[in-house]
Amino acid sequence: MSSIPEFGELLADAERSAVHLEMRDSYYSNPRFEEWQQGHRTDWDDRASWWRPFHQQIADAVARGVSVRRARVVSEPVTEYIRWEHYVTHSNVTAGERVKWLPRREATELLLPGNDFWIFDDRLIRVHHFSGDGDWADKELRDDPGVVDMYSAAFEKIWERAIPHDQYEIK
C-alpha cells in the first residue's frame, strides 16, 4: 500500500494553488474514451451523467479560493486520445479548472520535466509515471524546494505560451 496521499487529499489540503502538467499524447485507455471512439457523445446538459468525484474535488477547491490550472503539451496533428481529451475538457472547465494547450513545436526553447505532475501550493509535487504505452505505472511525492522551484518555473513558462482551452483549435 502506498504511503502517498491520494490526489483528493492533496487537493483538499491545498490553500492557494494546484497546477497540473500533462505531456503525453496518449494515456491508458478507459471506458469513456472507448465509448467516444464508438461515437458516443456526452450530454453536457445532463450533468449527473458525466460529473465525477474528481470534478467535485476541483469545484470544492476552487470554491475555497484555490487556483487550479492544467497545461497540456501536445503534438500536432493530435492523437485520437488528445482529440477526446479536448472534447471532455468541458467537464474540467465546468468544475473550475483553467486549462491551456501548448503545441509541442512551440515548446522547443523550453526545458520540460520528464514526467507529468501536480504541484500543490508551490511546495509539494506529485509526480506521475507511465509506461511507454501510456499505462499508469507509479507516483511519487517530492518536496525538495529546488525541485519544486524547477517544476514550477517550467509550468509557468508553458502557461505563458499556451493557448486557452476555448481558443485552442484541434489540428
Side-chain angles (χ1 to χ4, degrees), residues 1-91:
M1 182 171 212
S2 174
S3 62
I4 297 174
E6 291 301 318
F7 170 79
E9 294 174 62
L10 294 169
L11 185 61
D13 289 342
E15 297 175 358
R16 295 178 317 283
S17 66
V19 301
H20 186 36
L21 179 63
E22 296 177 342
M23 296 183 295
R24 297 185 56 87
D25 288 319
S26 67
Y27 291 86
Y28 50 91
S29 192
N30 63 59
R32 291 185 306 136
F33 173 53
E34 293 164 5
E35 289 171 3
W36 181 85
Q37 287 179 302
Q38 295 168 6
H40 171 54
R41 296 301 178 257
T42 304
D43 178 357
W44 295 117
D45 292 329
D46 180 12
R47 182 170 144 162
S49 71
W50 56 266
W51 191 259
R52 306 267 188 276
F54 169 81
H55 301 119
Q56 191 60 53
Q57 292 168 341
I58 296 295
D60 291 347
V62 170
R64 293 194 321 273
V66 176
S67 169
V68 181
R69 298 181 293 158
R70 178 186 304 256
R72 291 182 171 132
V73 179
V74 296
S75 300
E76 292 179 329
V78 300
T79 63
E80 188 173 18
Y81 192 94
I82 295 299
R83 189 173 299 282
W84 171 73
E85 274 197 334
H86 188 269
Y87 173 75
V88 296
T89 294
H90 176 87
S91 60

Side-chain angles (χ1 to χ4, degrees), residues 76 78 86 163-171:
E76 292 179 329
V78 300
H86 188 269
I163 302 163
H165 175 70
D166 64 348
Q167 296 172 24
Y168 179 68
E169 295 183 25
I170 289 290
K171 296 181 176 143

Side-chain angles (χ1 to χ4, degrees), residues 118-171:
W118 278 92
I119 301 176
F120 302 93
D121 290 336
D122 295 316
R123 64 173 181 77
L124 189 63
I125 305 170
R126 179 176 148 150
V127 180
H128 295 172
H129 299 284
F130 296 91
S131 65
D133 61 3
D135 285 337
W136 177 260
D138 199 8
K139 62 187 177 235
E140 66 178 294
L141 214 52
R142 306 287 297 267
D143 64 358
D144 176 270
V147 175
V148 172
D149 288 347
M150 285 189 303
Y151 275 56
S152 293
F155 181 87
E156 293 305 329
K157 292 288 186 188
I158 291 164
W159 190 258
E160 288 172 15
R161 289 186 184 204
I163 302 163
H165 175 70
D166 64 348
Q167 296 172 24
Y168 179 68
E169 295 183 25
I170 289 290
K171 296 181 176 143

